[in-house]
Amino acid sequence: MALIIGVVAGCFTAFSLGRPDFHGDFEAFWWGARLWLGGVNPYGRVEYGGESIYGGAPQFYPLSTLWLVAPVAWLPFNVAGGIVFGLVSAALAYVVTRDNWWRLHVFVSGSFVMAASLGQWSPLIMLAALVPAAGPLWMVKPSIGLAALAYRPSIAAAVTGGAVILLSMLIPGWLWQWLAGTAQSPQHVAPVLVWGGPLLLLAALRWRAPAGRLLLVMSCVPHLLFFYDELLLWLVPRTRRESLWLTVCNIVGTLLWIAASYWTDEPYQQLARPFVVASCYFPALALVLRQPAVRLAAHVRGQWPGQRRQPIN
């Protein structure tokens, strides 16, 4: 099943990225890695050799992310994106089906389809939250990577991933240009700042539970509210019904956003914000608040809060 999902996801990503006049997110990583390997600073640059880079958008990802793409940068960007996304999807499918088949719901969600069409990193961040050996990969996308660390806190993952980021900072000429480009992006916003978003702070009531910490951090870190990063919210469901609830809400919200985009001139990324909060974050919040509170003693014994739940009377 993991191989089937990986092949299908990889082929879909390669096809999507190869569409004419379409600039998927993986193209930005691919361009950045190719320029860096060629000795050219990819930051603060929107064209190279008379050719537009990623549709003229700045590079939003740190140098450590480009290092991960460097081994496949010699391939056409759609082929490279298909290979990377297919491998990550296969690994994620293998991990989530170790205990239950119902966790495959995540692969039919609007969030996964959006991530596959753009070649995004969210499946890899989800894998980092589930597999201790992959924990340091949170540094690929530090914003939502912090949510993965909050879900499964690990000193080794935090130190290793942080060390890679610090190592990349020792290379001169890119850091300040990257920070300037990310600071000027009005599209990245924390969900708590969107209409109804402050309600997400109720996740703090379950801060001792992994799902509560995950939702709380994701609600507070700025990122592009465009469905794909919300793939991590499928770490919240504990049963088949909860997973199905989140998946159905997500699919309905995605379809409503697509329908609304035909009836308004508002930029489609900005238009997606309320649909993402309503169809991803609010259903996940309902699931988190349904979970019983966990005593702090579980942490003292070295157990994960979700392993043995002790409701507070």
Side-chain angles (χ1 to χ4, degrees), residues 110-123:
S111 292
F112 183 80
V113 173
M114 187 68 73
S117 65
L118 297 173
Q120 259 290 339
W121 293 113
S122 46

Side-chain angles (χ1 to χ4, degrees), residues 37-194:
L37 290 173
V40 179
N41 184 2
Y43 296 91
R45 182 185 297 273
V46 295
E47 65 176 10
Y48 179 72
E51 185 177 358
S52 176
I53 299 176
Y54 185 47
Q59 180 62 253
F60 290 121
Y61 289 80
L63 184 60
S64 53
T65 303
L66 307 186
W67 288 349
L68 192 64
V69 183
V72 294
W74 59 277
L75 294 168
F77 71 88
N78 62 319
V79 176
I83 291 175
V84 172
F85 196 87
L87 290 174
V88 172
S89 298
L92 180 61
Y94 183 79
V95 170
V96 300
T97 55
R98 287 181 301 184
D99 300 323
N100 298 284
W101 289 103
W102 56 261
R103 297 187 185 277
L104 290 176
H105 291 158
V106 65
F107 294 103
V108 297
S109 66
S111 292
F112 183 80
V113 173
M114 187 68 73
S117 65
L118 297 173
Q120 259 290 339
W121 293 113
S122 46
L124 183 63
I125 305 299
M126 188 174 180
L127 188 67
L130 291 171
V131 182
L137 292 175
W138 67 267
M139 59 85 184
V140 172
K141 195 169 186 178
S143 54
I144 64 169
L146 293 176
L149 274 180
Y151 179 82
R152 186 185 291 271
S154 168
I155 295 178
V159 171
T160 305
V164 174
I165 295 177
L166 290 176
L167 179 63
S168 68
M169 291 181 179
L170 298 178
I171 300 177
W174 73 273
L175 180 60
W176 297 113
Q177 290 177 319
W178 172 64
L179 291 175
T182 54
Q184 295 174 1
S185 174
Q187 299 176 346
H188 295 74
V189 62
V192 293
L193 301 179
V194 180

